[in-house]
Amino acid sequence: MTINGGISFWYATDRSAPATPPRAPLTAHATADVVIVGGGYTGLWTAYYLKRAAPDLRVTVLEQKFCGYGASGRNGGWLYNGIAGRDRYARLHGPEAARRLQRAMNDTVTEVIDTAAKEGIDADIHRGGVLEVARTPAQLTRLKAFHAAELAFGESDRELHDAAATRARIDIADAVGSSWSPHGARIHPLKLVKGLAAACERLGVVIHESTPATEIAAGKAVTPYGTVRAPHVLRCTEGFTAALKGQKRAWLPMNSSMIVTAPLPASAWDRLGWSDSAVLGDMAHAYMYAQRTADDRIAIGGRGVPYRFGSRTDNDGRTQPATIDSLRELLFSFFPALTGTEITHAWSGVLGVPRDWCATVTLDRATGLGWAGGYVGSGVATANLAARTLRDLVLGDSTELTDLPWVGHRVRRWEPEPFRWLGVQALYAAYREADRREAAGHRPTTAPLARLADRISGRH
């Protein structure tokens, strides 16, 4: 029987949970030098780096549920160097600016791994790189273009593999090619966020859980239990941003769902050949992402119902039975030898999508209001780079990070309902149909339907 919800598989199997009491909520008005709204990766990393750089700074984190309740405790465990919006930043600011952003992301993977080791955070980190695979001729054409673009942006250590070399790495059915990057690692998302929260508290950061912010304004974060006033107020709410006053159309909360298998025996791994624990993705329009967990399961995710009307978010991570079925079928299509393998857990969560699909970091010096997010599913590493950038902006330092092209980027808001809901449903229906046509047609070109959807959605 599949356990559906319970926040995520990472929480459902977390043996340390009973030993971690909830942190006290805010009980009265308070003051700080910096108040951070959101207890996920972005908020916690920002608090961590601020206290490291300025130990006397009073930093308070407000979290609506508990640290890691959102995407930080539900994601697929991909610590990798992808960043949303790089191609657009290249067009806006020039190729060299985008290359600087990409180099910073490459370095961020190492930064997270090294910092976790320094803080004694055991997050099941294994640096096996990222393998992105093509399974149709059209996907292979996109893969080769993607690989060439990565090389152009300075990733000289990336490797392109043919069908045989791909299946030597992981025996994926119908694989016709792949691109491998060393700038990636598997992690246990919850262990990282819990260790990071503990590291923040050791440095003196005040964390209030069960404290939702209902409004963020210049100099203050308002909650039902009191207002925290501070010269700097940072919004680090990612996929939950739409719940804040005045932010309904800022970032769209996109749903992503996952399933995980029972632990697989050694004989199954011998057949699959998935020995280096590279995280796995593909070049489909409705893409998938997967990892081999530390306890020898496969966790695989993708889009189910992509968006809930009115920018609503779920409460406990429960996903639709049809989504579980589609992810199960996807898993078995990749690995037919696993057909019939038990699926033990399923869950879902939201990620933040700006209208132009560009991740951003911003601080308004006049008001002290700042924010970071819009990671479009690439937030595990990007949140760390965003946090170090917010640190420098808050401290008033002019650094290589504050000069990156995503700093201060503004984007128009999403359309009002019902156009927002209708548009997202239509776009993802188009992507799924494009994948179906490409698989059936065996042509080396991207389906026109997908190209049209890309233009309408603003992804390219």
Side-chain angles (χ1 to χ4, degrees):
M1 180 178 177
T2 301
I3 298 172
N4 188 357
I7 308 303
S8 69
F9 159 75
W10 316 114
Y11 273 102
T13 56
D14 178 28
R15 293 183 176 85
S16 68
T20 307
R23 296 173 176 89
L26 184 72
T27 58
H29 297 312
T31 60
D33 297 310
V34 181
V35 58
I36 297 169
V37 178
Y41 290 145
T42 306
L44 293 174
W45 277 124
T46 302
Y48 174 85
Y49 286 114
L50 281 170
K51 287 294 283 186
R52 278 286 183 197
D56 293 336
L57 211 61
R58 297 174 301 152
V59 179
T60 295
V61 175
L62 305 177
E63 164 54 41
Q64 66 163 334
K65 297 285 189 178
F66 46 82
C67 290
Y69 170 77
S72 299
R74 308 190 197 192
N75 66 77
W78 272 46
L79 175 69
Y80 86 121
N81 66 337
I83 185 166
R86 185 194 62 189
D87 292 347
R88 187 179 298 273
Y89 287 130
R91 293 193 294 270
L92 291 173
H93 302 278
E96 181 52 35
R99 278 193 283 269
R100 288 190 289 107
L101 182 59
Q102 186 60 67
R103 287 194 295 269
M105 280 303 307
N106 297 348
D107 294 342
T108 294
V109 174
T110 301
E111 169 69 19
V112 173
I113 294 171
D114 290 350
T115 303
K118 180 174 68 177
E119 294 295 343
I121 302 172
D122 180 4
D124 296 340
I125 298 174
H126 181 90
R127 189 165 190 166
V130 184
L131 187 71
E132 291 170 284
V133 64
R135 300 177 67 211
T136 68
Q139 288 185 23
L140 182 61
T141 299
R142 289 196 295 275
L143 177 85
K144 290 178 178 178
F146 164 76
H147 181 87
E150 298 308 295
L151 295 180
F153 281 108
E155 198 177 335
S156 58
D157 44 6
R158 178 175 283 271
E159 301 174 4
L160 184 66
H161 299 307
D162 61 13
T166 298
R167 298 188 71 169
R169 277 188 175 272
I170 305 177
D171 190 9
I172 299 166
D174 302 321
V176 293
S178 63
S179 180
W180 177 83
S181 167
H183 301 290
R186 174 208 69 200
I187 68 163
H188 187 297
L190 177 62
K191 290 182 179 180
L192 178 60
V193 76
K194 291 182 71 171
L196 181 55
C200 286
E201 290 183 311
R202 289 195 298 271
L203 293 172
V205 174
V206 176
I207 301 175
H208 291 296
E209 295 182 326
S210 300
T211 307
T214 56
E215 181 182 357
I216 296 174
K220 66 180 182 179
V222 181
T223 84
Y225 316 116
T227 296
V228 181
R229 298 188 179 277
H232 289 99
V233 182
L234 307 180
R235 189 188 80 215
C236 301
T237 48
E238 182 53 1
F240 292 87
T241 300
L244 291 166
K245 182 178 179 181
Q247 300 298 326
K248 194 76 168 180
R249 293 165 53 197
W251 292 337
L252 185 141
M254 184 76 73
N255 288 286
S256 196
S257 298
M258 295 196 72
I259 59 172
V260 66
T261 69
L264 303 179
S267 58
W269 292 111
D270 289 341
R271 288 196 302 272
L272 298 181
W274 196 345
S275 59
D276 62 0
S277 293
V279 295
L280 173 65
D282 75 352
M283 300 303 294
H285 302 292
Y287 56 86
M288 57 77 71
Y289 50 95
Q291 68 148 282
R292 175 180 177 174
T293 68
D295 60 348
D296 289 332
R297 305 168 186 259
I298 294 178
I300 182 171
R303 298 286 182 265
V305 175
Y307 173 71
R308 292 182 173 91
F309 188 89
S311 293
R312 291 181 291 113
T313 57
D314 70 272
N315 292 319
D316 68 350
R318 188 174 180 84
T319 195
Q320 298 80 8
T323 298
I324 299 174
D325 291 342
S326 66
L327 288 174
R328 182 189 289 112
E329 292 172 6
L330 181 65
L331 171 68
F332 297 159
S333 76
F334 267 71
F335 307 112
L338 299 183
T339 300
T341 298
E342 180 187 6
I343 304 302
T344 63
H345 297 79
W347 70 99
S348 66
V350 295
L351 49 100
V353 180
R355 188 61 181 84
D356 65 355
W357 299 70
C358 289
T360 58
V361 182
T362 297
L363 178 69
D364 185 335
R365 297 195 183 281
T367 63
L369 289 170
W371 59 88
Y375 305 133
V376 195
S378 301
V380 177
T382 312
N384 178 277
L385 178 60
R388 287 182 284 129
T389 307
L390 277 175
R391 170 203 60 195
D392 293 349
L393 290 169
V394 168
L395 297 179
D397 297 333
S398 180
T399 68
E400 292 181 355
L401 298 184
T402 61
D403 192 42
L404 291 174
W406 69 331
V407 175
H409 178 74
R410 299 296 181 107
V411 62
R412 69 183 176 91
R413 297 161 72 83
W414 282 89
E415 290 78 5
E417 298 290 22
F419 304 107
R420 187 161 71 245
W421 184 87
L422 290 169
V424 174
Q425 302 305 314
L427 287 170
Y428 273 88
Y431 286 133
R432 287 190 289 268
E433 176 61 18
D435 283 329
R436 189 194 67 77
R437 292 183 184 182
E438 290 177 1
H442 300 289
R443 295 179 179 176
T445 54
T446 291
L449 188 61
R451 291 198 295 268
L452 176 62
D454 282 343
R455 287 197 296 270
I456 294 172
S457 68
R459 292 177 70 175
H460 297 290

